């Protein structure tokens, strides 16, 4: 046991020493070459990140693109197969399609509902409520609970005899339905996952949106009041435009996070018909018994394209609904 | 005279109406907030309550709201049921190294971006922000090949800790840069006149001045690394090396696969123990949690 820790510590010190050495060499090398000392210092200081960019981002991006055109199990050298990984994924009967549907539906439902809820709570909290610190602290707790813990808790809460079904049982009796076992029934798996995500996610977004709301100058609301506008007018013409940049930020991060959802799909054995999250599929291909790393790389590239397209869509449409105070003044 | 009284009366009625409306609105606000609070807290209460139940009390209908009897012994039992002490030690080790490396290098890089002029700086900074959007899966497989095949570090803690020395976490760099930008240059100039070099300037002058930002990153980084599940899942195979999230996963799937009745009381006890350090830290340092979250979003 001690030797594992020691081994990692040695690796850690070697890497730290190596990075430090590179920083020093960059500084002296660049000043030797006649660069201003300030510029050389700047380059030296960003070296940890720049090295990381090359080693752990740029090279891996290139390598994974290459792997995606190969048959690769991680042991033997990659073997070029052209587009066949992509063809296999996009074939009509591929497991990719139900998983794509699942991931996109999950994002398309959990994200807007979650954002609307967080905005509603944030607006309530922005109303000079008493004990704002207390409320903010409480509403943020779910975001602090480790994802893994949240998932296990909700598997328990949403099991057939779980608390949620117990609480809802009068309602079930009323409409004459059986208690669902949320995560094993294909019809309830997605709603179950969304309920879980809503509990976990709206904490962080609420805090961010609250900060955005608190930045809105009060005189704008007074102006609406003088013009005889009511609560709706205040929301529509002041709150929404002023908070839209913050909303935009949470939306972009939310899209990326939704496509990257991983832990729930690993912990919860979803029924095959529902598909699974795309990132789980990547993991299963790459690290399953058959180690289909080429296929997994191709799928991760498809995910990147999906994220890029969705982000682009959000950015493109943002011109229609995101209002920047500074822009108009310019 | 008569007219003024009438006006006053109507005014008073108007203000009373306003006040009543305000009262109703406030009442509604608090009612919804309390409802929301219940939604947040009931699952957490249920987690703790379940962790204190006997196996027979787990599936009673109607469910026991307060465990009868309260079985504290579950918390003793879980340490024997799974190598929980080992998981804790591993998690603490990994979190401490990753956190330390991350904070120090992100501060260096943030300082470099905030204070020094060099060709291509703005482009590099934009690239750094762009990497925030990159999904981790893209780099997952090649990184695995580097660590496992080239460096022979499969089933070690190195991939989860050494990587942090490369300033991972562009959001942290961004946050620190924003903080460094708010510090007046005069302070540095004074230190330089007093003969400070870059190293002294950074460690003695600048770092103490951005302490709030460092604390914000420390708490976010702690919870991020403590909760990290994907890397241990990929890189670790010896059960004794598992971190807490992976240990919990192992326990969960062993129960799900073994056909046994799920031992939810033990599972919840483990979950409470895993969440406890982060929750305690949150209550002590919540200001920094919230600061860390909102800097990028609102003050950008």
């Amino acid at each position: 046991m001690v030797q594992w820790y020691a081994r990692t510590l040695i690796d850690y010190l070697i890497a730290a020493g190596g990075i430090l050495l590179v920083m020093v060499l960059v500084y002296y090398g660049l000043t030797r070459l006649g660069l201003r000392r300030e510029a050389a210092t700047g380059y030296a200081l960003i070296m940890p990140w720049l090295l990381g960019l090359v080693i752990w981002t740029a090279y891996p991006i290139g390598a994974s693109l290459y792997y995606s055109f190969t048959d690769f199990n991680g042991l033997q050298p990659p073997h070029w197969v052209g587009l066949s990984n992509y063809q296999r994924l996009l074939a009509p009967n591929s497991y990719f399609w139900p998983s794509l549907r699942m991931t996109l539906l999950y994002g398309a439902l959990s994200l807007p509902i979650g954002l609307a809820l967080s905005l509603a709570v944030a607006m309530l909290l922005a109303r000079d409520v008493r004990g704002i610190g207390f409320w903010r602290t409480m509403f943020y707790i779910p975001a602090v609970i480790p994802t893994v813990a949240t998932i296990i808790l909700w598997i328990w809460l949403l099991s057939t005899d779980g608390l949620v079904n117990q609480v809802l049982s009068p309602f079930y009796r009323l409409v004459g339905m059986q208690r669902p076992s949320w995560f094993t029934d294909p019809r309830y798996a997605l709603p179950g996952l969304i309920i879980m995500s809503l509990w976990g996610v709206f904490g962080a977004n609420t805090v961010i949106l609250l900060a955005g709301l608190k930045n809105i100058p009060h005189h704008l609301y007074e102006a609406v009041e003088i013009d005889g506008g009511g609560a709706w007018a205040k929301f529509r013409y002041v709150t929404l435009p002023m908070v839209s940049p913050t909303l935009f930020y949470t939306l972009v991060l939310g899209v990326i996070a939704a496509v990257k959802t991983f832990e729930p799909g690993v912990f919860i054995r979803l029924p095959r018909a529902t598909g699974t999250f795309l990132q789980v599929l990547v993991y299963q291909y790459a690290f399953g018994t058959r180690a289909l790393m080429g296929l997994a790389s191709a799928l991760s590239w498809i995910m990147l394209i999906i994220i890029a397209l969705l982000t682009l869509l959000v950015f493109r449409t943002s011109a229609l609904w995101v209002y920047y105070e500074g822009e108009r003044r310019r | 005279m008569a007219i003024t009284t009438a006006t006053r009366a109507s005014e008073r009625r108007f203000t009373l109406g306003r006040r009543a409306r305000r009262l109703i609105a406030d009442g509604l606000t608090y009612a919804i907030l309390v409802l929301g609070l219940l939604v947040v807290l009931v699952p957490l209460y249920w987690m703790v309550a379940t962790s204190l139940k006997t196996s027979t009390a787990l599936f009673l209908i109607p469910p026991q709201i307060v465990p009868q009897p309260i079985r504290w012994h579950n918390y003793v039992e879980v340490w024997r049921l799974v190598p929980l002490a080992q998981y804790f030690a591993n998690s603490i080790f990994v979190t401490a190294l990753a956190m330390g490396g991350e904070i120090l290098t992100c501060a260096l890089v943030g300082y470099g971006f905030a204070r020094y002029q060099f060709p291509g700086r703005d482009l590099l900074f934009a690239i750094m922000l762009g990497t925030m959007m990159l999904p981790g899966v893209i780099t997952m497989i090649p990184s695995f090949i580097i660590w496992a095949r080239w460096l022979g570090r499969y089933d070690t803690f190195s991939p989860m800790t050494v990587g942090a020395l490369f300033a991972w976490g562009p959001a942290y760099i961004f946050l620190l840069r924003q903080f460094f930008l708010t510090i007046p240059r005069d302070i540095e100039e004074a230190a330089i006149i007093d003969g400070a070099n870059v190293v002294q300037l950074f460690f003695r002058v600048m770092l103490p001045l951005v302490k709030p930002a460092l604390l914000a990153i420390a708490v976010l980084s702690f919870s991020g690394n403590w909760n990290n599940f994907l890397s241990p899942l990929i890189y670790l195979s010896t059960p004794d090396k598992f971190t807490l999230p992976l240990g919990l996963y192992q326990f969960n799937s062993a129960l799900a696969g073994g056909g046994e009745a799920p031992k939810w009381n033990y599972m919840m006890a483990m979950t409470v123990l895993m969440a406890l350090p982060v929750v305690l830290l949150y209550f002590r340092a919540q200001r920094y949690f919230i600061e860390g979250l909102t800097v990028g979003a609102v003050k950008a």
Side-chain angles (χ1 to χ4, degrees):
Chain A
M1 177 191 144
V2 178
Q3 54 279 30
W4 319 329
Y5 291 160
R7 190 174 180 192
T8 300
L9 269 177
I10 292 169
D11 281 358
Y12 193 80
L13 292 175
I14 291 174
I19 293 170
L20 197 63
L21 189 68
V22 171
M23 290 170 72
V24 171
L25 287 177
V26 162
Y27 176 76
Y28 285 109
L30 288 178
T31 42
R32 233 353 119 67
L33 288 172
L35 203 69
R36 285 175 306 117
R37 282 177 70 174
E38 193 201 343
T41 314
Y43 281 121
L45 283 170
I46 66 161
M47 266 305 133
W49 169 74
L50 205 57
L51 286 173
L53 180 75
V54 174
I55 302 171
W56 302 111
T57 306
Y59 167 75
I61 289 178
S64 99
L65 184 62
Y66 169 63
Y67 294 157
S68 78
F69 297 110
T70 66
D71 192 2
F72 181 44
N73 63 6
L75 290 168
Q76 276 99 20
H79 166 69
W80 187 267
V81 292
L83 285 171
S84 82
N85 285 327
Y86 291 93
Q87 280 164 351
R88 189 171 157 191
L89 285 170
L90 300 176
N93 60 348
S94 154
Y95 193 43
F96 165 75
W97 294 109
S99 303
L100 177 70
R101 182 173 160 272
M102 164 84 182
T103 308
L104 291 183
L105 265 181
Y106 172 79
L109 291 170
S110 70
L111 199 55
I113 302 175
L115 276 183
L117 275 178
S118 354
L119 183 60
V121 172
M123 281 175 62
L124 289 178
L125 290 179
R127 286 180 52 107
D128 290 329
V129 285
R130 237 175 258 180
I132 174 80
F134 165 79
W135 296 104
R136 207 170 54 173
T137 306
M138 286 314 193
F139 278 104
Y140 188 63
I141 292 179
V144 182
I145 306 288
T147 323
V148 166
T150 307
I151 292 167
I152 291 185
L153 171 62
W154 279 91
I155 297 177
W156 168 225
L157 289 169
L158 291 173
S159 60
T160 319
D161 299 315
L163 186 65
V164 174
N165 278 350
Q166 299 273 9
V167 171
L168 291 180
S169 67
F171 169 76
Y172 294 149
R173 232 171 282 140
L174 202 70
V175 297
M177 62 177 265
Q178 291 284 316
R179 295 174 170 192
S181 168
W182 294 76
F183 290 131
T184 50
D185 188 331
R187 284 171 301 168
Y188 293 99
L190 187 64
L193 287 167
I194 289 168
I195 293 172
M196 182 168 88
S197 82
L198 291 182
W199 186 79
V201 153
F202 88 103
N205 283 340
T206 303
V207 169
I208 295 173
L209 288 169
L210 179 62
L213 289 170
K214 284 282 180 187
N215 272 3
I216 301 176
H218 209 73
H219 65 84
L220 294 176
Y221 289 111
E222 281 158 12
V224 175
E225 252 168 54
I226 289 166
D227 291 344
W232 171 249
K234 283 184 195 167
F235 175 72
R236 175 67 190 80
Y237 297 107
V238 178
T239 310
L240 214 49
M242 292 302 284
V243 85
S244 62
T246 314
L247 215 49
F248 175 66
Y249 172 88
T250 48
L251 186 64
V252 171
L253 292 191
V255 166
I256 297 169
V259 180
K260 291 197 314 195
T261 309
F262 180 69
E263 280 92 345
V266 177
F267 272 81
I268 302 164
R269 291 193 184 171
L270 295 165
R272 197 172 159 79
T274 41
T276 187
F277 291 102
L278 289 174
Q279 180 149 356
V280 177
L281 205 54
V282 174
Y283 167 77
Q284 287 172 349
Y285 283 146
F287 301 101
T289 40
R290 291 169 62 202
L292 301 164
M293 293 202 166
L295 191 67
S297 299
L299 181 52
S300 68
W301 271 88
I302 293 178
M303 278 177 69
L304 177 67
I305 293 166
I306 293 170
I307 290 182
L309 286 177
L310 288 175
T311 317
L312 194 70
L313 187 77
V314 174
F315 268 91
R316 274 291 164 82
T317 56
S318 73
L320 302 173
W321 61 273
V322 179
Y323 169 82
Y324 288 105
E325 177 86 347
E327 236 163 51
R328 198 196 45 174
R329 284 199 192 127
R330 231 176 270 152
Chain B
M1 181 71 184
I3 295 169
T4 35
T5 331
T7 326
R8 252 189 229 145
S10 75
E11 251 172 22
R12 203 177 302 142
R13 212 174 320 138
F14 180 61
T15 47
L16 264 175
R18 262 184 79 93
R19 200 190 267 171
R21 256 198 307 179
R22 168 107 199 143
L23 218 65
I24 293 168
D26 276 354
L28 263 173
T29 304
Y30 287 108
I32 300 172
L33 285 179
V34 169
L35 198 73
L37 193 64
L38 284 178
V39 172
V40 166
L41 291 185
V42 166
L44 289 177
Y45 172 76
W46 203 242
M47 176 159 105
V48 177
T50 307
S51 76
L52 295 171
K53 284 181 180 177
T54 60
S55 309
T56 44
L58 282 178
F59 297 104
L60 285 181
I61 295 171
Q64 280 184 343
I65 311 266
V66 180
Q68 277 291 335
I70 292 184
R71 198 177 132 86
W72 292 104
H73 198 64
N74 288 343
Y75 280 89
V76 181
E77 201 87 326
V78 287
W79 295 87
R80 286 199 282 128
L81 224 57
V82 288
L84 205 55
Q86 184 72 62
Y87 296 161
F88 258 100
N90 296 340
S91 270
I92 291 168
F93 179 75
V94 168
T95 305
L97 284 192
M99 221 176 111
E102 202 166 26
I103 296 172
L104 185 64
T105 52
C106 286
L108 278 172
V109 175
Y111 180 54
F113 274 125
R115 272 300 196 264
Y116 293 86
Q117 287 289 342
F118 49 91
R121 183 185 71 170
D122 296 339
L123 177 68
L124 286 172
F125 189 69
I127 291 174
M128 195 206 71
L129 290 183
T131 57
M132 273 207 252
M133 303 222 173
L134 199 73
V137 273
I138 287 286
T139 56
M140 183 172 82
I141 292 167
S143 302
F144 178 81
I145 299 294
I146 297 177
W147 281 117
R149 299 275 168 265
W150 298 4
L151 301 172
R153 293 297 188 270
Y154 181 67
D155 202 24
T156 71
F157 298 121
S158 300
M160 282 144 267
T161 52
V162 177
L165 290 169
F166 293 90
W168 69 23
Y172 299 156
I173 300 177
F174 178 72
L175 191 149
L176 279 161
R177 171 182 172 268
Q178 301 300 93
F179 255 85
F180 280 120
L181 286 176
T182 62
I183 293 170
R185 275 188 185 266
D186 307 354
I187 294 176
E188 277 163 289
E189 276 156 19
I192 292 169
I193 289 167
D194 287 344
N197 59 32
V198 182
V199 179
Q200 289 165 327
L201 200 62
F202 179 71
F203 284 102
R204 294 267 182 81
V205 182
M206 296 308 273
L207 274 192
L209 287 173
V210 293
K211 217 166 124 194
L214 292 178
L215 286 169
I217 289 168
V219 290
L220 291 178
S221 160
F222 176 85
S223 91
N225 285 305
W226 186 259
N227 302 344
N228 185 6
F229 172 67
L230 182 58
S231 326
L233 178 69
I234 291 173
Y235 288 106
L236 299 179
S237 69
T238 309
D240 276 353
K241 292 181 188 172
F242 285 1
T243 55
L244 278 168
L246 198 55
L248 211 57
Y249 173 64
Q250 163 98 342
F251 189 57
N252 177 53
S253 36
L255 288 180
E260 289 177 71
K263 297 184 169 74
W264 286 111
N265 43 355
Y266 294 123
M267 201 95 97
M268 287 300 130
M270 269 178 81
T271 313
V272 169
L273 286 172
M274 181 195 168
L276 209 56
V278 197
V279 173
L280 289 180
L281 179 71
Y282 171 59
F283 276 107
R284 276 213 41 86
Q286 49 144 319
R287 186 162 85 81
Y288 301 110
F289 260 105
I290 286 163
E291 205 159 338
L293 274 176
T294 49
V295 162
V298 185
K299 297 175 194 163

